[in-house]
Amino acid sequence: LSVVAVMANRTIDDVVTLGFDVQDRWRRGDISRFDVLREFVNGLLVQFLKNETALDFPLERVNVVTTSKGRGVVTRQPKSVEDLRDMLIHTT
């Protein structure tokens, strides 16, 4: 997530504020606990989800690495911002 935050030109203050905002929405009951992560990732990628042409970075430079006991290390590259969002949600 930190790499994506940097690529999205987000400062640490932006990310912390986003985290607290999502947490506050959950505490108020505006979102389910199951939606907290999705809302946070969407907040990080909001400008790109609205307009993929606004990408300041090439997706081919992004690798999402996961490990599992049965499959070992798997490296994937997102093909779209939606794909990146889904990968981040599944690996966080």
Side-chain angles (χ1 to χ4, degrees):
L1 291 174
S2 61
V3 171
V4 173
V6 168
M7 294 173 114
N9 293 319
R10 297 297 196 99
T11 66
I12 187 68
D13 290 333
D14 294 338
V15 176
V16 170
T17 299
L18 173 61
F20 283 135
D21 289 345
V22 171
Q23 184 180 43
D24 288 342
R25 290 174 46 209
W26 168 74
R27 284 187 178 150
R28 288 192 311 263
D30 296 340
I31 60 173
S32 160
R33 65 184 172 124
F34 301 106
D35 295 327
V36 170
L37 178 59
R38 182 174 306 277
E39 291 294 316
F40 182 77
V41 172
N42 285 345
L44 281 180
L45 297 173
V46 67
Q47 74 260 32
F48 307 127
L49 289 169
K50 289 180 180 179
N51 180 10
E52 282 202 34
T53 60
L55 282 173
D56 293 342
F57 60 92
L59 282 174
E60 63 269 7
R61 295 189 61 200
V62 177
N63 292 309
V64 178
V65 180
T66 56
T67 59
S68 67
K69 189 174 183 179
R71 292 179 33 195
V73 177
V74 176
T75 303
R76 298 179 294 165
Q77 287 187 325
K79 303 211 180 330
S80 67
V81 176
E82 288 284 333
D83 202 20
L84 175 61
R85 180 187 68 139
D86 291 342
M87 286 180 187
L88 292 174
I89 290 169
H90 287 112
T91 59
T92 302

